[in-house]
Amino acid sequence: MTNNIQNEVKIGVHPNNHSLFVLRRTGILENILEKLDATVKWIDYENGASTAQRIAVEEIDFGGTGATPPLIGQASGIDLVYVAVSEPRPESGALVVLTDSSVTSVADLKGRRVALTEGSWHTSFLATALDEVGLLYEDVERVDGGDEALVAGEADAWIGNDPQLAELQKKGVVRTILPVNPYISHRSVWFASRSFATNNPEILDAVVDALQHSDAWVQENPREAAELIARDLPNWPSADVWEDVLKRRPWGLKPVTQDFISEQQRVADLLAHQSLLPQPIKVADAVLSPTAALGGQAS
């Protein structure tokens, strides 16, 4: 990757990172970057699990996902660095089944079909939960799909995430088999290419600062934010559902803590042991010192 100072940052945006999805629509970052004579190029895509690979080919400099894509990226030799994390989001995900399902525990899933997005936080959650009861990831049949696969009977269980999870819970369609906690903390994670982060600290800090301001706006204006998101995702749940989702999750970026590093390392070791990562990794090697917008030091 070319090592040079940039005056443009390329940021990946997908619907499942709500912070970046909103930031892309507020103009907050553009206003901050203008003071640095810099600009932003937004790269829109659907599958957040591809974020690390997009960094690898220099399509983007910065992105946000759950905690699994950066693990896979680092294990694949992509030179990325963690920039920030959210607080845990225990209510935003769960392993669920239809209310009339005969499945009552994760052990019942052996040989059954689980709908999920491979390579996302779903992979870490499922592998960790199965390991807890002595099962391997390969002991279940994985189905590429979401809530529609569960409802259509194409899967016996679904690893759900908001807003679709919140909608089905509100309708009483699903029953929770396992919450994400205590298996994973289910945080949002923001990461960047090491080259971009180390050569452009002011621009990186501007991105973090903008995300902090945008997240604060969402927290203070959940209805307006919900309407903004629903407007641009017409085939997703309604603004009413989005408002509930935005109110039940934490907002704001935090420095990468030792607790998070330890959790990531535990998951990375499990995934590597089951050959779900191409090689073992040391998570701490990919941790960047906090930017000024995060106080300049980990807490």
Side-chain angles (χ1 to χ4, degrees), residues 178-208:
L178 283 180
V180 293
N181 184 49
Y183 302 96
I184 61 171
S185 59
H186 190 30
R187 301 173 190 258
S188 284
V189 180
W190 293 271
F191 52 101
S193 75
R194 187 183 299 271
S195 174
F196 166 74
T198 56
N199 286 292
N200 304 275
E202 284 192 333
I203 293 180
L204 179 64
D205 189 59
V207 173
V208 174

Side-chain angles (χ1 to χ4, degrees), residues 160-179:
N161 44 260
D162 285 340
Q164 293 86 357
L165 176 62
E167 182 177 45
L168 293 187
Q169 287 174 330
K170 190 172 184 178
K171 292 179 178 178
V173 173
V174 296
R175 170 167 49 86
T176 297
I177 296 299
L178 283 180

